[in-house]
Structure formats: C-alpha cells, structure tokens
Amino acid sequence: MNSKITLGIIFGGVSSEHDISCISAKGIISNLDYSKYNVVLIGITKEGRWFLYNDDVNLLENDRWIYSKSLVPAFISPDTSVHGIVTSRGEVFSLDVVFPVLHGKNGEDGTIQGLLQMAQIPFVGCDATSSGVCMDKAFTNAVMDTFNIPQAKWCSITQYDYRNDPHSAIENAVDKLSLPIFVKPANAGSSVGISKAHTTDELAAAIDKAFKEDKKVVLEEFIDGFEVECAVMGNANPVAAEVGQIVAAAEFYDYDAKYNNPQSQLHIPALISEEKRNEVRSQAIKAYKALGCEGLARVDFFVTKDDGRVLLNEVNTIPGQTPISMYPKLFEAVGVQYSELINKLIGFALERGGKF
C-alpha cells in the first residue's frame, strides 16, 4: 500500500513574477522529503499554457523547462469527482494536496485558490478571499484601518478617475500625504512598478508607471524607517518566526534590489531591540488573523527611526522561497529547517481540507 501523499506543485504563471516563481518552486522541490511525497509538477507558461512537467528541476531556472520534451498539456479540473489533473491524453492524476508556488497576479490574488476550492483539493496557503484582500494593497490598508493596526497614511486612485482629472488626483495626494510619496500598483508583488516621487512631475510619472501593472494604484506617505519582515505560519493558532531586516542597496527595496543587487543586505535577527521585535511579531499575528490568513504569510513592517513606531507595510501570502528569500530563513533562525517547514505548511493545508 502506498502511503505517500501525492503533492501537486504549480509554478510559473502569467505574472511579472513568473521567473521568481520558477526559482521558488525549485527551492521547494529540492528540499522535499521524497519518502513522504509523490510529486506532480504543473508548469504555467508566461502565455498561460498549462503543462505536466516531468524533467530536471534545474531547468526551472531561466525558464528552460518550457523546451522539455516531457511536457504534456494538462489542467486542474474544477470537477470534484476528478480531484486533480486531466491531461490532453485523457490521463487523470488525483492529488491529495497542492502547493501553488505562484507569486503575484493569477497566483497570489485568489484566482488559483478559487479554482482549487471549486475542485475541493486542499492547498497550501490562504483561501481565495484572504488571498485577494491581501493582494490588493488598498483593501489590505482598509482592513488594517478597521482593526486599528498602525500603517502609513495612504490613498488610492483608479485609472478611470485619474484619466478624468489627473490634476486633482495629484493635488489631493500631495495635500494628504506630502512629498515624497511612494506609488504602488494595488495588485503586484516583488516591488514591481513601485516608485518614490519627490516632485509632482515625478509623481505623475510614477502613477503612469504603476498603471502599467494595474488599474488601481496606492499612494503612501514616505516613512523614514527600518524595513523589517516577519514570517508567520498556521491556521487557527498562527506562530511568528524571527524578525529580519532589509538594508536595501538602492534608495528603496525595489525589484532589482531584491533579486539582482548583491549589495542589499538581510539581517536576521533585525537590528532593533528584542522588545521591538516582539512588538513586530505581535502585530504580524494580529494582521494575519484580521485578514483571515491561513497556512503562511510574510508580514512586512516599517519601524520608524525617530520614535520606534511599528507600521504595517504589506502582507505577502505566497512569499518567495528562493535561496535568498526571507521567509524560510526567518523560520530557520528559530530552529525550523526548510524541509520541516515545507512539511508543516503541507500539514496545515491537509488539516484545513478541501471544503470551504
């Protein structure tokens, strides 16, 4: 009798973070305990084509997997009687649990989670509702305000309203937030499309840049603070790991500083007092619960330099799992090795089950 768990891992995706997803998937696959799992890999190309993949995991980097002769068109069926994957050959692979290693749009925004919920397949991470709310920075900020979780002053603008009256939108933002202002797409990850605007001309350019990624943008006041991150995992009783700190090589921690610039530094534990780290952990769990998170999330904060206020920055429901990613490193700092962490995350998915 085969007692192994059949684990589906979905990677790639139609997102600006496609390449990071592939590297994250490689990190997870390389650290799995294969005595416990039968692994089925599902790759999604940048164009949105789904394939069953059965080849060298090293090909995931630089998107070389798409040239593999092993590829078979396949998809996850929403039919609950299938409970898994159907291929173009008519093959059916039943799945016990899925780990969606998809960052950004079409992966972290509730879309893939909704499909898995329809199929009643257990999966790692937050459900469709929580994923969607956490992905949209305007919704996240509104929930944080409701639960009295401190954050930077903010406002949001839709593309429709901005096109109708860009002058008023910029004027209102400057009046409320003061320059400099950070501009972010409401729905994007890995700091894609984010800019820091020092003048109204730069603000207009930053808004245009953000609208290339999403139809809604979020504007936030500049916070002179340390950027810290806290990894959280669990369902009803989540736990927080150590707190880490980022010292960006660039003016702020943008995509290039995260993944391409070796001068960016990660400090674990963060270079703040133990008392302040405990406050970050407490606020991280409070935000996690307020947003309905389950499974895992990385909760990011600022700690202001002048008065030590802890301000929520954002919540990532599928944090990176690359060799330099903070999430596994933060749990490793409290004694949870990567392979054990993956087992725990899969366990939380099975604990919740496939019915929502």
Side-chain angles (χ1 to χ4, degrees), residues 40-76:
V40 179
L41 303 181
I42 308 106
I44 305 174
T45 70
K46 292 179 179 179
E47 295 74 35
R49 298 192 66 195
W50 290 48
F51 293 99
L52 201 64
Y53 177 70
N54 185 23
D55 205 339
D56 186 355
V57 66
N58 290 308
L59 296 178
L60 268 61
E61 287 195 58
N62 300 315
D63 231 21
R64 292 173 293 162
W65 67 275
I66 62 174
Y67 305 109
S68 171
K69 294 181 180 179
S70 77
L71 297 184
V72 179
F75 60 90
I76 289 180

Side-chain angles (χ1 to χ4, degrees), residues 24-149:
S24 286
K26 179 188 173 185
I28 292 170
I29 296 162
S30 301
N31 286 276
L32 281 171
D33 181 351
Y34 282 86
S35 69
K36 295 182 178 181
Y37 305 106
N38 292 315
V39 180
V40 179
L41 303 181
I42 308 106
I44 305 174
T45 70
K46 292 179 179 179
E47 295 74 35
R49 298 192 66 195
W50 290 48
F51 293 99
L52 201 64
Y53 177 70
N54 185 23
D55 205 339
D56 186 355
V57 66
N58 290 308
L59 296 178
L60 268 61
E61 287 195 58
N62 300 315
D63 231 21
R64 292 173 293 162
W65 67 275
I66 62 174
Y67 305 109
S68 171
K69 294 181 180 179
S70 77
L71 297 184
V72 179
F75 60 90
I76 289 180
S77 172
D79 189 327
T80 58
S81 68
V82 174
H83 208 73
I85 300 167
V86 178
T87 75
S88 61
R89 299 171 181 169
E91 302 163 302
V92 176
F93 294 88
S94 180
L95 300 174
D96 295 315
V97 61
V98 167
F99 200 138
V101 192
L102 298 168
H103 306 311
K105 287 185 179 181
N106 304 302
E108 202 170 351
D109 56 5
T111 50
I112 190 71
Q113 291 80 5
L115 172 60
L116 293 168
Q117 286 175 215
M118 289 177 65
Q120 296 186 7
I121 303 172
F123 59 90
V124 173
C126 301
D127 67 14
T129 301
S130 180
S131 297
V133 171
C134 290
M135 182 68 182
D136 189 305
K137 294 176 177 64
F139 287 147
T140 300
N141 290 354
V143 173
M144 294 301 93
D145 284 346
T146 300
F147 280 83
N148 297 314
I149 296 174

